[in-house]
């Protein structure tokens, strides 16, 4: 950070969505990207939940970075992550019951996401609050974007519907909503994004 | 590592974890009463939805299945019994499925509803869809069986979620009705059936 020019907030957001996209570029948090993406609705809700937790965790870690002894930073990051997840879980259970019924299954899973811990460790623990927040927004948006694309194709191909509404009459590829289909979807999309970025870099 | 450093690290960890624990305790104390209150209201509304004709739904008693506490209710209209509502649990793929079922006086299912579960999102959670739940209407214990092909007489399993479908049908609902039959028989034996008096 000290040697390179400090990136602008917009660059930080772009970085999270494209250059360091959690799933397609860093290959982190692949577990949820397969587990919850067989419906577009699930993918989007999970993405939104992660976006929230990622931003809050990045801000908290950045604010506390001078009070954390480097040797015990990991258990403390875990506390911050699980703390925010639990706060979100309990608040939604009390005040947003409808949304909680949809998202409750996923919220607690976020505790174990490598992507959130990775950003706390690689970015927020070394950066000021504002850049950390924008890094969190970028990373969260990138995750949301990836899960939306994966679940879009999986639901459309596997169930012939989108967001629960029937689009096609048939179920062209039932395997897409099953766990194996998750691997296919993530693999093919990751290959596609790698190909895109190769082309993009050549032109530069 | 010197002793002083160990002490410093320990203190650092203890302080931060204590603060974290305190924050969570405060949030829990603030949110849990609201949560329990709303959950109770939702249960009441869910009961009413199962037998909308009823003008009174009273709790009859408690029972337990899979070591979980359940309740059962009687629904009346103009003081005549028109049906029963039983809460039951079925052992699913990754959770116990909390189920409510309304049964008419002929012991046929009127309607079921799923109160809670933690089945696989996208597969097992399709037990909540109307397509699955509507299959139960009008079926008696003979026909509450899971089949994997298209059927009108039995209950069709959700593709990719046979275990969850079976848990609702052959575990929760079947056992709930079996319990009701047993309880009603015992009541008749004591001659407490008010409707015939």
């Amino acid at each position: 950070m000290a040697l390179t020019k400090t990136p602008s907030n917009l660059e930080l957001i772009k970085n999270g969505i494209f250059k360091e996209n959690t799933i397609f570029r860093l290959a982190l948090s692949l577990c949820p990207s397969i587990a919850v993406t067989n419906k577009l609705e699930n993918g989007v809700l999970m993405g939104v939940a992660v976006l929230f937790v990622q931003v809050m965790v990045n801000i908290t870690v950045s604010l506390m970075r001078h009070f954390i002894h480097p040797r015990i930073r990991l258990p403390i990051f875990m506390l911050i992550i699980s703390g925010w997840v639990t706060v979100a879980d309990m608040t939604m259970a009390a005040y947003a019951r409808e949304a909680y019924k949809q998202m409750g299954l996923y919220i607690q899973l976020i505790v174990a996401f490598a992507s959130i811990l990775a950003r706390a460790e690689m970015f927020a623990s070394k950066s000021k609050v504002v850049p950390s927040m924008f890094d969190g927004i970028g990373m969260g948006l990138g995750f949301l974007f990836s899960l939306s694309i994966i679940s879009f194709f999986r639901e459309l191909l596997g169930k012939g519907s989108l967001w629960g509404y029937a689009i096609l009459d048939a179920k062209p590829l039932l395997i897409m909503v099953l766990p194996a289909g998750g691997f296919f979807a993530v693999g093919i999309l990751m290959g596609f994004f790698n190909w895109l970025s190769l082309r993009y870099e050549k032109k530069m | 590592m010197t002793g002083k450093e160990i002490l410093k690290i320990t203190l650092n960890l203890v302080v931060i974890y204590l603060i974290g624990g305190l924050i969570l305790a405060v949030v829990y104390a603030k949110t849990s009463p609201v949560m329990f209150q709303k959950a109770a209201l939702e249960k009441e509304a869910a009961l009413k939805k199962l037998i909308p004709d009823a003008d009174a739904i009273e709790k009859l008693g408690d029972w337990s299945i899979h070591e979980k506490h359940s309740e059962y209710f009687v629904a009346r209209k103009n003081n005549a019994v028109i049906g029963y509502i039983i809460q039951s649990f079925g052992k699913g793929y990754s959770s116990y499925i909390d189920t409510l079922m309304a049964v008419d006086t002929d012991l046929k299912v009127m309607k079921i509803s799923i109160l809670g579960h933690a089945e696989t999102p996208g597969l097992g959670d399709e037990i909540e869809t109307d397509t699955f739940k509507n299959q139960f209407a009008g079926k008696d214990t003979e026909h509450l069986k899971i089949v994997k092909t298209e059927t009108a007489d039995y209950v069709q399993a959700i593709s990719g979620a046979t275990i969850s479908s079976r848990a609702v049908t052959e575990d929760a609902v079947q056992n709930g009705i079996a319990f009701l039959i047993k309880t009603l028989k015992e009541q008749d034996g004591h001659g407490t059936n008010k409707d015939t008096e």
Side-chain angles (χ1 to χ4, degrees):
Chain A
M1 288 297 300
L3 292 173
T4 52
K5 198 176 128 261
T6 333
S8 75
N9 295 336
L10 190 67
E11 276 167 350
L12 280 171
I13 291 181
K14 271 191 188 160
N15 176 55
I17 299 177
F18 302 109
K19 212 171 129 211
E20 290 191 30
N21 183 297
T22 323
I23 290 166
F24 296 132
R25 306 295 295 152
L26 302 182
L28 283 174
S29 286
L30 290 174
C31 171
S33 74
I34 289 168
V36 304
T37 54
N38 46 17
K39 274 157 110 188
L40 180 60
E41 188 182 0
N42 292 351
V44 171
L45 289 178
M46 183 58 139
V48 172
V50 166
L51 174 63
F52 170 77
V53 175
Q54 180 82 72
V55 172
M56 297 319 285
V57 165
N58 267 12
I59 292 174
T60 317
V61 167
S62 175
L63 280 174
M64 289 175 60
R65 66 189 190 280
H66 300 302
F67 304 102
I68 299 172
H69 196 286
R71 277 178 191 269
I72 47 160
R73 62 189 190 284
L74 290 182
I76 288 175
F77 293 164
M78 283 316 295
L79 173 89
I80 294 171
I81 295 168
S82 47
W84 272 114
V85 169
T86 315
V87 167
D89 187 68
M90 291 195 293
T91 315
M92 280 183 73
Y95 298 105
R97 303 273 314 169
E98 280 311 307
Y100 184 70
K101 277 188 193 146
Q102 305 285 323
M103 292 171 69
L105 285 172
Y106 312 113
I107 295 209
Q108 289 168 354
L109 289 176
I110 301 174
V111 173
F113 281 14
S115 57
I116 292 177
L117 184 62
R119 283 332 274 183
E121 161 82 12
M122 293 189 321
F123 196 93
S125 63
K126 298 167 193 152
S127 315
K128 285 187 181 144
V129 177
V130 174
S132 294
M133 189 179 86
F134 280 99
D135 180 70
I137 295 175
M139 282 292 158
L141 283 178
F143 194 81
L144 174 63
F145 164 73
S146 313
L147 285 203
S148 307
I149 286 198
I150 298 168
S151 50
F152 176 86
F153 284 112
R154 286 185 71 188
E155 187 177 354
L156 188 64
L157 293 176
K159 288 198 173 160
S161 61
L162 281 177
W163 205 274
Y165 298 104
I167 301 277
L168 309 169
D169 248 350
K171 294 180 176 178
L173 263 173
L174 183 65
I175 195 169
M176 290 309 282
V177 294
L178 301 175
F183 286 97
F184 293 145
V186 172
I188 292 168
L189 284 168
M190 197 182 278
F192 174 70
F193 278 95
N194 278 341
W195 175 77
L196 263 190
S197 74
L198 273 179
R199 273 183 60 120
Y200 183 71
E201 274 160 27
K202 254 186 206 158
K203 270 188 193 158
M204 297 280 281
Chain B
M1 218 194 296
T2 62
K4 207 179 154 193
E5 209 181 346
I6 291 177
L7 199 72
K8 219 172 128 189
I9 290 174
T10 314
L11 209 65
N12 192 231
L13 202 56
V14 166
V15 167
I16 290 181
Y17 267 60
L18 270 180
I19 296 173
L22 273 176
I23 293 174
L24 287 187
V26 169
V27 175
Y28 182 76
K30 284 260 179 230
T31 57
S32 67
V34 184
M35 194 261 282
F36 285 123
Q37 200 188 351
K38 285 196 179 165
L41 282 178
E42 270 165 27
K43 194 169 173 185
E44 227 179 276
L47 289 176
K48 261 262 180 291
K49 248 190 189 164
L50 283 174
I51 308 185
D53 280 348
D55 44 36
I57 295 175
E58 292 160 29
K59 186 173 162 180
L60 278 180
D62 304 293
W63 71 298
S64 73
I65 175 168
H66 297 299
E67 295 178 350
K68 285 182 177 287
H69 168 253
S70 303
E71 297 170 340
Y72 61 105
F73 308 83
V74 61
R76 290 177 211 271
K77 190 184 184 185
N78 302 329
N79 280 330
V81 174
I82 56 166
Y84 301 90
I85 296 175
I86 312 138
Q87 185 190 14
S88 182
F89 288 84
K91 192 173 191 298
Y93 181 70
S94 55
S95 64
Y96 288 98
I97 302 163
D98 192 350
T99 313
L100 271 184
M101 71 203 83
V103 179
D104 63 16
T105 42
D106 298 329
L107 299 171
K108 282 186 179 163
V109 175
M110 297 158 87
K111 216 171 176 185
I112 70 159
S113 96
I114 308 292
L115 286 185
H117 68 86
E119 297 297 284
T120 320
L123 289 173
D125 70 354
E126 294 211 2
I127 51 173
E128 289 181 36
T129 56
D130 287 338
T131 338
F132 180 70
K133 289 191 294 189
N134 289 344
Q135 297 187 82
F136 288 81
K139 294 206 165 70
D140 55 16
T141 45
E142 285 287 296
H143 294 92
L144 286 166
K145 290 195 175 104
I146 286 288
V147 290
K148 292 193 185 179
T149 48
E150 246 174 73
T151 174
D153 299 332
Y154 298 96
V155 177
Q156 190 189 345
I158 297 156
S159 61
T162 313
I163 297 175
S164 309
S165 316
R166 188 158 274 149
V168 174
T169 317
E170 294 172 11
D171 191 355
V173 176
Q174 282 280 11
N175 283 325
I177 296 179
F179 165 78
L180 182 71
I181 293 173
K182 207 184 93 200
T183 316
L184 291 180
K185 256 192 195 147
E186 279 170 14
Q187 263 186 10
D188 274 353
H190 295 300
T192 48
N193 197 335
K194 281 176 194 159
D195 295 317
T196 53
E197 283 175 7

